[in-house]
Amino acid sequence: MKEIKRAARKLLFELGAPVNSKGFGYAVEILCDGVANQTPIVYRDKVYANWAVVFKDGANNVERALRYVKDECLNQYNEKFRSIFGNATIIGTYDFLEMLRFYLIDEMEGE
């Protein structure tokens, strides 16, 4: 699990996610759970309600924190982002997390 967390943190950092944001930690935990359990991230709006209980936060706060991380990565639009998302200029938070989960699974299998 430590390797998955390390890989998730590194990936988000490389994408330009603000490390000191609440959403960074939330995204790391969500990605780790999805990779470790090899399960898709809970679909769309349910992701916020599902993880709000885990994080002991409101669903709106979880949604806002994750959206902030996604938006910051999209604003960076660096080479790493393009290698994962192609030329996407608009992407939903759920799709963002799910694509990162797939990317991490591929990376972990490659090691």
Side-chain angles (χ1 to χ4, degrees), residues 72-85:
E72 288 299 307
C73 292
L74 185 60
N75 288 338
Q76 294 292 321
Y77 201 70
N78 61 27
E79 189 60 38
K80 186 68 163 190
F81 186 92
R82 285 190 295 279
S83 73
I84 297 171
F85 299 100

Side-chain angles (χ1 to χ4, degrees), residues 36-90:
N37 297 321
Q38 295 188 350
T39 56
I41 293 170
V42 179
Y43 189 67
R44 302 274 180 203
D45 293 339
K46 292 180 182 177
V47 71
Y48 312 123
N50 183 58
W51 283 96
V53 174
V54 175
F55 298 136
K56 295 180 175 79
D57 202 347
N60 288 339
N61 291 338
V62 173
E63 186 272 335
R64 190 177 306 113
L66 291 170
R67 182 171 24 94
Y68 174 72
V69 166
K70 183 261 304 176
D71 288 348
E72 288 299 307
C73 292
L74 185 60
N75 288 338
Q76 294 292 321
Y77 201 70
N78 61 27
E79 189 60 38
K80 186 68 163 190
F81 186 92
R82 285 190 295 279
S83 73
I84 297 171
F85 299 100
N87 293 325
T89 55
I90 298 174

Side-chain angles (χ1 to χ4, degrees), residues 3-23:
E3 289 180 36
I4 299 170
K5 275 191 178 188
R6 191 175 306 116
R9 283 187 191 114
K10 180 180 177 196
L11 175 60
L12 287 168
F13 179 76
E14 288 174 351
L15 290 170
V19 178
N20 60 345
S21 71
K22 186 188 308 187

Side-chain angles (χ1 to χ4, degrees), residues 18-38:
V19 178
N20 60 345
S21 71
K22 186 188 308 187
F24 187 91
Y26 287 178
V28 168
E29 292 300 321
I30 292 169
L31 290 169
C32 285
D33 181 70
V35 172
N37 297 321
Q38 295 188 350

